[in-house]
Every structure is written in C-alpha cells, then in structure tokens.
Amino acid sequence: MARIPICKAADIPSQGMKSFDSPLGIKVLIAQSGDTYYGYQGICPHQDVCLDEGFFDGATLTCHQHLWQWDITTGAAVGLAEAPLERFVIEQEAGQLFVLQSSALKVSELFRDASDAVIARLDALARREVHDSLATLYDIGDPADDVYVLETGRVEFAIGREDRTMPAGFMLRKGEVFGWAALLEDHPRRIAKAACVEQSTLLRLNGAEVLKVLAEEPASGYLVMRQLSTLITKHLRTRGGK
Ligand code: FES
C-alpha cells in the first residue's frame, strides 16, 4: 500500500479544512474534526467547485454553490447531496499527514480473486490517468482496446447511436471496471460512450496485455474470466452494455 505525503498537520486550521494538490494528480481536502484528520476528494462531486471554498462546522462539510452536504466522519451524503465523497485513509506520523493508497485492482469486482502476483503484474501494466470533469474517455464506435478501473471520481455512460444517445447510469465506487469489451473477442468497437462526471482517476490497461497475463496464469485467469461473465450478465440486466 503506497503512503503519499500530503501536508503537515500544522498546515490545517484547528477544526478547519484545507485542500492540497496531491502527487495523485488530484486535489485532496484534509479536515480536522476533534483530534482526527479526514481526507476527501477536493472537488465537489456535483460540479467543478473546490470544496475548501465551502463551509465546515466541525461535523458537516457544505459546498457553497448548491449546498450539498457530507458527514465529515464518513463522506456520506446528507441533506440535498446526491453523491457521497470519495474518502482517503489518512495516517499521521511525526506531524506529517499521509494518504494511504491501495491498488484499485485489488478491490475491483473483476480482478479481486486474482493472486497477488497477478495483481502486481497487472498493476505494472496499468497507466494511471487523471481526467477533468466532462472529459470523454471513449465514444460509440471507438476501438475497444483498453479496459478501465475507476480509482477516484465518477464516470457516466450513454448508449445509442452516434447522433442519438441516452443515459445508461453511472459508477463511482473505487474498483469498478468498465470498457470490458477490450477483454472480449469479436467486440472491436465501443457500444457506449463513457465520460467523467467529475475529476476522476483511472487505471487504464490494454486488453490484449491483460489477456496475455491471464493466459500465462490460468488459475487466476479462470477466476477473472468467470467474474467477467457474471459482470456482463449483471450489467446487461441493469444498465445496458458497456
Ligand atoms: S457545485 Fe457543489 S453542490 Fe453544486
């Protein structure tokens, strides 16, 4: 698990909050409540607004734009808010605050049953990308070369034809996988559009390289492909294809 330095504890106003541009490539908000420091995404999940411009009363964080609110101890949405905050585990040592970051692959529905050795090989293949709100990751008809694992943020899907699409839901949980057509034969093109609803961090893996690793590690490969068939069935029932 990576330990990423964010700031000094003394940088945070007593019972207050402050945002930092982190080495993760995203803004991280640190808030102190009682003796505990909490870490969350620094940008509002509603629109591209810095949360440290809002209000914090020691228990509830409020975005000043449209008054979405969150419980500072959990990041859970309260009041008007329609989405929770992405939470980071914070560790303190000798006055320094760190974010603890585990691999999104390890918690992903698709890859979690793979061995640690396979996870490490896939982690080495993954490119970490940070995309701004509204960025299109792929469009209908694009080549289906890469599979994505959500690390932070929120991604929305639309299905239909190039000239006429309709929403197909969104995902926001760390470890959710999309673009899995890259792991299938005879699905060379995207059948959905994927775009970021807020600033998002993604692991991007080339599908052919993933399949090569899984073929070389058949025990993990079997478990991952079995899970893939389960996910496809679930998504076809609930959201339409991605
Ligand atoms: S931008 Fe934060 S609540 Fe709307």
Side-chain angles (χ1 to χ4, degrees):
M1 187 176 290
R3 209 165 78 133
I4 296 156
I6 293 294
C7 64
K8 303 272 187 214
D11 295 334
I12 311 300
S14 178
Q15 306 304 306
M17 62 176 173
K18 192 170 177 180
S19 285
F20 301 87
D21 290 321
S22 74
L24 298 168
I26 56 173
K27 211 175 256 303
V28 172
L29 177 122
I30 307 288
Q32 187 192 30
S33 177
D35 294 332
T36 306
Y37 293 93
Y38 297 92
Y40 292 101
Q41 63 186 81
I43 302 295
C44 181
H46 184 207
Q47 291 176 3
D48 197 14
V49 170
C50 292
L51 288 172
D52 64 355
E53 295 170 8
F55 317 107
F56 175 50
D57 63 5
T60 303
L61 173 62
T62 303
C63 177
H64 69 292
Q65 277 292 341
H66 308 101
L67 305 181
W68 282 21
Q69 293 183 306
W70 302 272
D71 180 335
I72 203 64
T73 62
T74 62
V78 294
L80 301 173
E82 295 174 11
L85 291 181
E86 174 80 24
R87 184 176 176 190
F88 301 104
V89 177
I90 301 295
E91 198 171 84
Q92 184 177 359
E93 185 183 312
Q96 175 75 42
L97 299 183
F98 301 86
V99 165
L100 299 187
Q101 199 198 28
S102 59
S103 169
L105 290 171
K106 192 64 190 161
V107 298
S108 77
E109 277 182 282
L110 182 58
F111 296 110
R112 67 185 174 206
D113 293 333
S115 69
D116 288 347
V118 169
I119 293 284
R121 288 184 68 183
L122 295 175
D123 244 341
L125 291 176
R127 289 162 282 160
R128 177 171 283 106
E129 298 181 349
V130 180
H131 294 274
D132 290 332
S133 176
L134 303 181
T136 297
L137 301 170
Y138 54 76
D139 212 337
I140 296 167
D142 284 351
D145 294 332
D146 297 327
V147 59
Y148 297 81
V149 182
L150 186 65
E151 201 166 69
T152 66
R154 198 155 42 126
V155 173
E156 187 173 46
F157 299 91
I159 54 175
R161 299 194 316 246
E162 286 90 338
D163 57 341
R164 195 169 181 181
T165 60
M166 55 185 287
F170 65 86
M171 54 176 55
L172 56 77
R173 263 205 341 263
K174 178 175 181 173
E176 286 205 77
V177 176
F178 60 96
W180 29 253
L183 300 178
L184 304 175
E185 288 185 4
D186 301 326
H187 284 83
R189 299 279 163 189
R190 300 294 184 196
I191 58 169
K193 176 181 177 178
C196 297
V197 183
E198 60 188 83
Q199 188 187 57
S200 303
T201 311
L202 303 155
L203 297 181
R204 180 172 180 170
L205 298 103
N206 178 267
E209 291 179 351
V210 172
L211 291 174
K212 184 166 180 292
V213 171
L214 297 180
E216 290 169 0
E217 304 277 357
S220 289
Y222 167 73
L223 294 172
V224 171
M225 297 313 279
R226 188 178 67 174
Q227 188 62 9
L228 177 61
S229 65
T230 303
L231 288 177
I232 291 173
T233 306
K234 190 167 95 180
H235 283 286
L236 287 176
R237 274 205 208 112
T238 59
R239 296 174 173 169
K242 295 181 187 104

